[in-house]
Amino acid sequence: MRKKTYAMRYVAGQPAEQIFPGALAHLGPDLPPGAALPNSNILRVMVWNIFKQQRADWLSVLRDYGKDAQLVLLQEAQTTPELIRFATSNYLAADQVPAFMLPQHPSGVMTLSAAHPVYCCPLREREPLLRLSKSALVTVYPLLDGRLLMVVNIHAVNFSIGIDVYSKQLDPIGEQIANHKGPVIMAGDFNAWSKQRINALYGFAGNIQLEEVRFPSDFRKRAFGRPLDFIFYRDLSVTSASVMETRASDHNPLRVEFMAGQPLAL
């Protein structure tokens, strides 16, 4: 029997809590009220495959490059005490989808946020060859302008023949975004290392009206000449985007700043 998919929520001073997928019907006006992401007229987001914290200086990069970010989207985040301590000391909530178990701590996508999400939907897809799972997490946060921001954090399946499983992992994410009325950020390690995969990813993003963040100095990790990490968005404006070169992981972290405020009606 396939294990149930859930997220673990870490909040300072509280026991870790299991969060099971929210119903799609709850998206929209029926979502519970919540405090907005602070200073979210200017929204700062960091995205990084942290390589299970296996290399030195990961914490200093996370602390320095992620400074002032209201959202940090990590892939391959292992729930070590050091990471949980950082997350709960600097963010109101940290939600992780355990994709697979390591000897001591599970690893998967983790979203750190400066506000509590009002919706949370963890997703997993099994690698067809290695039989290990990759994860994704959909969360929703109120913004200061009254809109709801959907955030998708994904680590895409890597080793597969063709793109059937790759597309299968994207399909429920597309359903979530299609049911959301408001701004969207979709980011992570998409493992888009082949022409088939990059075409599938761009086709998927285009179908749900997502734009791609472009990096003036593009130092993203590449495989077969293609970048693996992406940030897509909707109903936001990009004011800056950068990639930091570091040896603290096998991926370089991305950072983007969005203008989130709605234009004033004339």
Side-chain angles (χ1 to χ4, degrees):
M1 182 181 293
R2 190 165 183 175
K3 293 181 180 178
K4 285 188 175 180
T5 299
Y6 60 90
M8 293 300 300
R9 177 164 297 164
Y10 300 92
V11 175
Q14 299 181 19
E17 179 187 3
Q18 281 189 336
I19 308 292
F20 290 93
L24 269 178
H26 292 162
L27 278 173
D30 294 332
L31 283 174
L37 282 167
N39 305 314
S40 57
N41 288 331
I42 301 294
L43 190 60
R44 299 177 180 90
V45 182
M46 178 181 176
V47 180
W48 191 23
N49 183 321
I50 202 170
F51 196 46
K52 305 180 189 71
Q53 301 103 271
Q54 293 183 62
R55 294 187 180 173
D57 296 331
W58 65 267
L59 184 56
S60 62
V61 170
L62 187 56
R63 182 186 295 117
D64 296 342
Y65 198 58
K67 185 179 180 181
D68 299 328
Q70 296 102 317
L71 294 163
V72 175
L73 281 60
L74 303 175
Q75 301 81 50
E76 292 193 37
Q78 191 176 357
T79 52
T80 59
E82 197 172 16
L83 178 58
I84 298 303
R85 187 163 50 248
F86 169 83
T88 55
S89 298
N90 293 276
Y91 292 88
L92 283 186
D95 293 284
Q96 190 226 26
V97 184
F100 58 92
M101 297 300 295
L102 294 165
Q104 287 184 297
H105 309 288
S107 173
V109 298
M110 177 184 283
T111 300
L112 316 181
S113 54
H116 293 285
V118 295
Y119 174 84
C120 180
C121 184
L123 300 165
R124 290 195 307 169
E125 188 62 48
R126 191 179 294 276
E127 294 266 13
L129 300 180
L130 298 183
R131 310 307 295 167
L132 298 173
S133 293
K134 290 292 194 294
S135 57
L137 178 64
V138 181
T139 46
V140 173
Y141 308 90
L143 297 177
L144 288 172
D145 64 12
R147 295 182 298 168
L148 292 172
L149 170 70
M150 175 172 281
V151 177
V152 180
N153 183 356
I154 181 171
H155 190 192
V157 293
N158 195 6
F159 302 105
S160 64
I161 299 171
I163 59 167
D164 288 348
V165 177
Y166 191 77
S167 297
K168 181 184 174 186
Q169 187 183 16
L170 293 174
D171 286 344
I173 293 171
E175 186 179 4
Q176 297 272 330
I177 293 173
N179 279 274
H180 177 67
K181 308 303 180 187
V184 175
I185 297 170
M186 180 180 76
D189 177 359
F190 287 86
N191 277 315
W193 42 259
S194 71
K195 184 176 181 180
Q196 276 186 309
R197 282 170 171 249
I198 196 71
N199 287 344
L201 176 59
Y202 281 148
F204 171 81
N207 286 338
I208 50 177
Q209 287 79 52
L210 297 183
E211 298 181 68
E212 180 187 358
V213 173
R214 304 288 182 176
F215 299 92
S217 298
D218 194 347
F219 302 112
R220 286 178 293 173
K221 168 71 177 294
R222 282 173 157 74
F224 305 107
R226 297 180 177 88
L228 302 179
D229 306 303
F230 293 83
I231 301 175
F232 296 92
Y233 66 98
R234 183 180 79 190
D235 294 343
L236 299 165
S237 301
V238 176
T239 57
S240 67
S242 61
V243 184
M244 177 185 180
E245 292 186 279
T246 179
R247 295 181 180 273
S249 170
D250 62 345
H251 287 245
N252 288 328
L254 320 179
R255 183 173 163 116
V256 63
E257 183 177 287
F258 294 103
M259 181 75 73
Q262 286 183 307
L264 295 174
L266 298 178

